[in-house]
C-alpha cells in the first residue's frame, strides 16, 4: 500500500482545536500556523465558531485570513455551514428562508477562498436543489455531511440521493464524516460514563453489544428493566448514535464524495485511533480514487476534559503521523514535536 | 459539551451603588462549540443557594449589548460568540451577601439539527467579594 | 402441507375480546362460549383483565370458571401475568418482591388449571430463575413473552437465554408473540394515522421504509427535518416498534417454545392477515414439531374504534378459519357464522 | 388504547344538597386493557371549560371506595378494574351551571413495562342536568 499512487491530501478542521479556542488558549492564527506546521495544508473553518461578528466579520478579518494562508502555506479547503431552521420562535423557516441562509454561507465560503461547503445534516434536499446552481456559479461544491447515525441507506440520505442523481449538478455531493466507521466503542466515552457514575455491568453490556454488532436499539429497554440510572441510560442512547459501516460503502458514492471529515476520538500512544480503523478506511479511499483532503476532526475533548487538560494539538499531530504512514508519505512529524511550540506552553501533552 | 466552562470563576459581583445594591452578576459562557443567535437562547436559569431567579429579573450582556432574558426570542441581529464570556445580571434588591455562594446556571438552547432542546448545566461555588 | 401431520391446537386469548369486555358487551362467560363454539378449545386469560377482585376474585369465580370449562368443552391453557415493578412510588421493587408477585400469579394460574404462564417482558432473568423451581413444583411453565421489538438476539433476551440454558429447567421458556413477524406495515395503523392528521407523504415514507426493510430508526430524524407534526412523529416511532423476523428463527429455540400468541391486526375479507404472513409461520411451526396452541391475540380494535364498531368476534373467527386452512383441518367455520349468535346482536360485522 | 371511552356520556352531576352544592362528579374509565392498582394512578386531571381542578380537590370512587387523588400513591390494596366506571368527584363551591360543559380528563398511569408514563386523554361535551 505504501507505494500505491494516490492524490489524497492532508488537512485539518479547526473544529479539532475547539477546546483551546473556546478557552482562548489558541487564536485563529495559532490554528492556521499549527496546521501549516504539520503539513495539514488544507484548512477547514467553521465560520460560526471562528469568525467574531459572523456573518459580517468585517474586511479586516478577511485580510488577516488571506495573509495567514499566504504566510503559513495553507489553503482554505472547506467551510462548515449551519442552518438554523428554528431561528424564529414557534415556527420553522420556510424553504425560501433556508435558501437565503445557505446562499449567505456560500458567499462567505467564496470570500474565504474555499472549494467545499459542509451542508449540515438538517439541510433539506429541496434546499440543496435550490442552491445548486448558485453554488456552481461561485465555483463551490455544497456537500451534505453524512454523520453518524446517518448512512447511505438512511431515509433522509435517500431523499438527498434522489436530488443529486436527478440534478446531476457538479455542485452537489457528500462530505462523509469518518465517525460513521466506528468499529469499536470509543474508550474515552465508556470511561467517562464510569467516572460519571455508570456501573460497570451497564457499560460493559453497552460496549459488548456495540462491538458485537448487537441490537443497540434494544439497550434502552434492557437498561430500563435493569434499573439504569440517567448516566447509564445516556450510554444506551449514545450506543445508537455510533455506527459501524463497512468503509467500502463509500465506493459506490465516490463520484459524489469530494471532502472527508476525519473524525477521531482518541489517538493512542501507539499511533492508532482507538475506535475508527483508518488502516481499513484509507485503502478504500485510495482504491476509489479519492483525491481530496482528509480533514482532521478531533472530538475527544468533551469526553476527557473532566480529568485532564485537553491537548488537541498533540492529538491532531498523532493523527497526521498516522495519515503519513497510511498514505505512504515520508514521516516528518516526530513524536514529541509538540514540545517545540511555545504557544501551547500551558497545554498538557499527556492526553491519555 | 462545554458544560463545565459555563460559569466563569471569580466573576460574581453585586451591582448598583454601594448604598443601593440592586442585584448581582456573573460571567457565563455558552456550552457549545459555536456561537448562537440570541433568538435561540431559550432560557438562562440562575440559581443561587437553591433559589432560582424569575426570568423577568435576568438580563444578558454580550460584547456590550444588554438584553432582557424575556426579549431574547426576538433578537435576530446579535449573537453570543463561542467561548465569549457574557455577563448575566439578576435584579435582586440588596444583592448577595459577601462570601461563598452555591451558583447553578442552566441554559436551554434551540439547536435546529437536534430533535430535543440543547444547552447544559454548570454548578460552582463562587465567592462574592466587595 | 395440508396432509402434514402435526399436533398444533387452536385457542384464543381473551385479550382478543378486550373491546367488547371493556364496554360490557361480552361477559367472561360469553368469551368462553365463543371460544368453544369456534373450536378454539384452549383458552388464555389475563387475570388482571378478567378477574374482578384480582388477586382474590373469591371462590365463586373459580367455581364458575371450572363450570364454564366443562360446559363449553374448553381448557385453560395459559394465563398472562404482569409485573408491576413500579408499584411503589419512587422506587423499583426488589427482586424478592418481584419473586413474590410472580409466585402469586403462578398460584392463580394453577388454580385456573393452566399449563403455561406468560411472563411479561420486563420480568428480570433473575426473577425467572428464582421462580423456576416453584413453577416446576406446580407443574407450570413460566414463559417469557417475546413481543416486538424484542427478538432472540436482543440484549434483554440474551440475558434470559443465558439463564434458561444454564438452568435447563423444564419450567422456563418462551411464548413468542407473532407480532414479531410483521412483514408489511399494518394497514389499520397507517390508515388511522391518516385519519388522525398525518400527511400522506409521511405515512407513505414510513410504510415504504418499513416494507423495504429500511432504517426505521432513521425515520425520527427524517420526519423531524421534514417538519413532522406529532401524529407523524408517532408513526415514525411506531415503525420502530414493529419488527419483521424470518419465522425460521424460532426453530433454534423450539425446545423452549411452548405456547404461541397469535397476534393479529386485521383479517381481511379474503381470509388472510394483512401484515403477518401466517402462511409462512405455520409451516415453520409444523417443521419444528411445535405441539402447543395458536392462541389468537386480536389487537386491531384500538386502530379502528374511531370509525367503526369493533367486531372482535368476527375477526377471531376469520383468523380461525385461516388456521383451519393452514393446519389442514376440515373448515367448519362458515363465513357469516357471526350472525347466528344472539350475544352480539349490537356488534357491527363489517370491521373493514 | 381506550382513550375515547375515558369520559362516560351523561354522567355529569353536581354534588351536595340542593341548597348547598359543593362540587361535581362524572364517570370515568381507565384507558387500559387491564385493571390497575391505585398506587399506579399518578394523576387524574379534570378540566371543565378550560379550568383545571387542583389535585387537592379531586377524589376517586371505585366500587364504593372513595380516595383523595393525593392519597392514591399509598393505596396498595385496591384496584381500578378494566372498564369499570369509577366516579371522579371535584370540590367546587356552587358546582357547575346547568347545561353543556366542555370536559377534558387526562390520566397519567405508571405502567412498569413502559419506559415512559402511560395513560390517556379524552375530551367530550357533557350536559349537566338538574
Ligand atoms: Mn463532522
Ligand atoms: Mn402478546
Amino acid at each position: 500500500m505504501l507505494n500505491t499512487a494516490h492524490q489524497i491530501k492532508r488537512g485539518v478542521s479547526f473544529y479539532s482545536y475547539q477546546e483551546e479556542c473556546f478557552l482562548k488558549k489558541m487564536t485563529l492564527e495559532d490554528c492556521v500556523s499549527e496546521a501549516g506546521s504539520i503539513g495539514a495544508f488544507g484548512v477547514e473553518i467553521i465560520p460560526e465558531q471562528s469568525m467574531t461578528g459572523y456573518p459580517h466579520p468585517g474586511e479586516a478579518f478577511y485580510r488577516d485570513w488571506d495573509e495567514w494562508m499566504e504566510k503559513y502555506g495553507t489553503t482554505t479547503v472547506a467551510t462548515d455551514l449551519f442552518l438554523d431552521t428554528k431561528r424564529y420562535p414557534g415556527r420553522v423557516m420556510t424553504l425560501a428562508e433556508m435558501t437565503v441562509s445557505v446562499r449567505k454561507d456560500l458567499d462567505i465560503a467564496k470570500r474565504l477562498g474555499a472549494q467545499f461547503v459542509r451542508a449540515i445534516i438538517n439541510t433539506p434536499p429541496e434546499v440543496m436543489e435550490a442552491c445548486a446552481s448558485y453554488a456552481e456559479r461561485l465555483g463551490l461544491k455544497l456537500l451534505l455531511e453524512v454523520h453518524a447515525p446517518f448512512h447511505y441507506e438512511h431515509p433522509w440520505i435517500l431523499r438527498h440521493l434522489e436530488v443529486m442523481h436527478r440534478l446531476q449538478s457538479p455542485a452537489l455531493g457528500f462530505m462523509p464524516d469518518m465517525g460513521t466507521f466506528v468499529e469499536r466503542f470509543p474508550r474515552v466515552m465508556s470511561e467517562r460514563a464510569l467516572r460519571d457514575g455508570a456501573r460497570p455491568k451497564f457499560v460493559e453490556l453497552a460496549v459488548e453489544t456495540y462491538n458485537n454488532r448487537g441490537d443497540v436499539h434494544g439497550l434502552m429497554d434492557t437498561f430500563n428493566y435493569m434499573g439504569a440510572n440517567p448516566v447509564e441510560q445516556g450510554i444506551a442512547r449514545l450506543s445508537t448514535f455510533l455506527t459501524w459501516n463497512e468503509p467500502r460503502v463509500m465506493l459506490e458514492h465516490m463520484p459524489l464524495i469530494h471532502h472527508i471529515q476525519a473524525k477521531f476520538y482518541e489517538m493512542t500512544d501507539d499511533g492508532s485511533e482507538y475506535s475508527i480503523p483508518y488502516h481499513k478506511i484509507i485503502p478504500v479511499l485510495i482504491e476509489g480514487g479519492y483525491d481530496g483532503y482528509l480533514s482532521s476532526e478531533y472530538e475527544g475533548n468533551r469526553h476527557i476534559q473532566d480529568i485532564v487538560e485537553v491537548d488537541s494539538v498533540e492529538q491532531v499531530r498523532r493523527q497526521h503521523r498516522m495519515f503519513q504512514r497510511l498514505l505512504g508519505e515520508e514521516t516528518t512529524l516526530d513524536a514529541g514535536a509538540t514540545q517545540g511550540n511555545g504557544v501551547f506552553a500551558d497545554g498538557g501533552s499527556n492526553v491519555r | 459539551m462545554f458544560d463545565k466552562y459555563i460559569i466563569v470563576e471569580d466573576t460574581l459581583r453585586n451591582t448598583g451603588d454601594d448604598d443601593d445594591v440592586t442585584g448581582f452578576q456573573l460571567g457565563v459562557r455558552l456550552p457549545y462549540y459555536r456561537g448562537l443567535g440570541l433568538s435561540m437562547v431559550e432560557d438562562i436559569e440562575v440559581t443561587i443557594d437553591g433559589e432560582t431567579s424569575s426570568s423577568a429579573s435576568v438580563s444578558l450582556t454580550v460584547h456590550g449589548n444588554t438584553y432582557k432574558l424575556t426579549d431574547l426570542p426576538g433578537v435576530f441581529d446579535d449573537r453570543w460568540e463561542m467561548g465569549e464570556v457574557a455577563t448575566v445580571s439578576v435584579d435582586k434588591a440588596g444583592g448577595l451577601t459577601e462570601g461563598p455562594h452555591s451558583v447553578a446556571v442552566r441554559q436551554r438552547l434551540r439547536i435546529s439539527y437536534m430533535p430535543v432542546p440543547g444547552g447544559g448545566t454548570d454548578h460552582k461555588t463562587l465567592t462574592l467579594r466587595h
Side-chain angles (χ1 to χ4, degrees), chain A, chain B:
Chain A
M1 188 186 65
L2 287 179
N3 295 313
T4 308
H6 68 79
Q7 298 297 319
I8 299 177
K9 297 169 280 279
R10 292 188 291 114
V12 61
S13 167
F14 296 161
Y15 181 90
S16 298
Y17 305 126
Q18 60 178 264
E19 185 92 8
E20 287 83 352
C21 290
F22 186 99
L23 296 172
K24 316 288 188 199
K25 293 177 178 177
M26 280 175 83
T27 64
L28 186 55
E29 184 178 0
D30 291 336
C31 296
V32 180
S33 157
E34 169 61 19
S37 80
I38 62 171
F41 294 117
V43 303
E44 178 170 350
I45 179 176
I46 303 175
E48 297 200 40
Q49 174 175 96
S50 304
M51 277 184 171
T52 303
Y54 169 93
H56 303 295
E59 269 311 301
F61 175 89
Y62 289 114
R63 229 173 12 242
D64 288 345
W65 182 261
D66 293 342
E67 275 178 31
W68 298 334
M69 293 300 110
E70 177 81 18
K71 179 174 173 188
Y72 299 106
T74 50
T75 53
T76 315
V77 172
T79 66
D80 289 20
L81 70 74
F82 289 84
L83 181 57
D84 289 325
T85 56
K86 299 179 193 165
R87 180 174 165 83
Y88 304 102
R91 71 173 184 89
V92 173
M93 273 187 179
T94 63
L95 291 176
E97 288 169 329
M98 293 184 201
T99 301
V100 168
S101 174
V102 169
R103 289 183 180 194
K104 166 201 68 187
D105 287 304
L106 289 168
D107 291 338
I108 291 169
K110 178 69 180 173
R111 179 63 192 80
L112 286 166
Q115 304 165 252
F116 308 116
V117 176
R118 185 285 301 269
I120 194 165
I121 188 67
N122 63 321
T123 309
E126 296 85 350
V127 173
M128 296 292 280
E129 179 164 2
C131 293
S133 63
Y134 190 82
E136 190 176 351
R137 281 200 299 281
L138 295 180
L140 293 169
K141 290 187 194 298
L142 182 62
L143 307 177
L144 186 78
E145 180 182 354
V146 181
H147 185 288
F150 292 80
H151 53 88
Y152 301 96
E153 295 186 350
H154 187 289
W156 183 243
I157 303 295
L158 292 177
R159 295 175 77 84
H160 278 275
L161 273 167
E162 186 277 322
V163 168
M164 292 181 197
H165 287 157
R166 175 164 47 76
L167 286 191
Q168 292 289 325
S169 162
L172 297 187
F174 291 119
M175 182 182 291
D177 181 304
M178 297 299 101
T180 45
F181 303 111
V182 171
E183 194 170 27
R184 61 174 173 167
F185 203 100
R187 185 170 63 176
V188 291
M189 298 182 191
S190 54
E191 293 184 352
R192 175 63 181 266
L194 290 169
R195 291 195 301 276
D196 285 351
R199 288 162 286 180
K201 73 170 175 178
F202 287 92
V203 174
E204 284 159 18
L205 182 54
V207 168
E208 186 184 296
T209 301
Y210 184 84
N211 289 352
N212 294 334
R213 315 282 163 252
D215 183 355
V216 289
H217 291 282
L219 284 173
M220 288 295 283
D221 280 334
T222 302
F223 276 28
N224 182 26
Y225 297 159
M226 289 170 67
N229 68 33
V231 176
E232 290 153 357
Q233 288 169 348
I235 201 115
R237 202 173 306 111
L238 178 60
S239 305
T240 68
F241 296 158
L242 299 171
T243 58
W244 162 249
N245 293 277
E246 168 52 51
R248 299 185 69 81
V249 299
M250 288 189 288
L251 290 175
E252 178 187 346
H253 304 286
M254 207 52 91
L256 290 167
I257 293 174
H258 301 290
H259 187 70
I260 282 180
Q261 292 188 332
K263 170 72 54 65
F264 70 109
Y265 301 106
E266 182 192 9
M267 290 299 305
T268 61
D269 288 340
D270 69 1
S272 63
E273 216 290 327
Y274 181 84
S275 57
I276 302 174
Y278 279 97
H279 63 286
K280 295 181 182 173
I281 292 170
I282 287 177
V284 170
L285 295 174
I286 292 172
E287 176 183 343
Y290 176 69
D291 62 0
Y293 285 81
L294 288 170
S295 185
S296 291
E297 251 195 353
Y298 174 54
E299 197 177 284
N301 63 317
R302 62 181 71 168
H303 307 293
I304 60 169
Q305 62 189 189
D306 61 315
I307 43 158
V308 293
E309 188 161 2
V310 173
D311 190 349
S312 308
V313 167
E314 170 62 13
Q315 283 286 301
V316 173
R317 288 181 179 198
R318 288 184 181 192
Q319 194 192 31
H320 279 264
R321 283 198 287 275
M322 178 182 70
F323 288 163
Q324 288 187 313
R325 182 164 44 82
L326 294 172
L327 292 170
E329 285 183 39
E330 196 181 339
T331 308
T332 57
L333 291 163
D334 294 339
T338 313
Q339 314 307 332
N341 194 324
V343 174
F344 315 107
D346 62 350
S349 64
N350 284 316
V351 167
R352 179 151 292 278
Chain B
M1 53 217 62
F2 288 123
D3 289 36
K4 68 174 281 197
Y5 304 131
I6 290 176
I7 297 175
V8 184
E9 299 279 4
D10 249 338
T11 56
L12 187 64
R13 302 280 182 275
N14 276 331
T15 51
D17 301 326
D18 266 4
D19 51 352
D20 183 21
V21 174
T22 55
F24 63 90
Q25 64 178 39
L26 70 156
V28 171
R29 300 184 186 100
L30 280 177
Y32 194 26
Y33 67 82
R34 65 163 175 139
L36 197 67
L38 294 178
S39 70
M40 294 168 280
V41 177
E42 292 193 331
D43 197 17
I44 305 170
E45 194 183 272
V46 181
T47 303
I48 306 283
D49 304 325
E51 190 189 327
T52 300
S53 307
S54 73
S55 49
S57 67
V58 176
S59 304
L60 178 75
T61 303
V62 290
H63 38 265
N65 306 329
T66 298
Y67 305 94
K68 296 183 65 159
L69 176 61
T70 51
D71 288 338
L72 290 181
V75 180
F76 303 115
D77 58 355
D78 206 350
R79 294 169 65 80
W80 189 347
E81 303 283 355
M82 180 186 85
E84 178 182 2
V85 179
T87 300
V88 170
S89 305
V90 179
D91 297 333
K92 180 182 169 67
L96 301 177
T97 55
E98 287 189 29
H101 292 276
S102 161
V103 180
V105 174
R106 197 174 64 82
Q107 294 183 43
R108 197 175 68 240
L109 308 175
R110 200 162 64 246
I111 310 296
S112 296
Y113 56 87
M114 286 169 48
V116 293
T121 303
D122 190 16
H123 179 236
K124 291 192 177 84
T125 297
L126 297 191
T127 298
L128 185 134
R129 294 197 180 80
H130 187 67

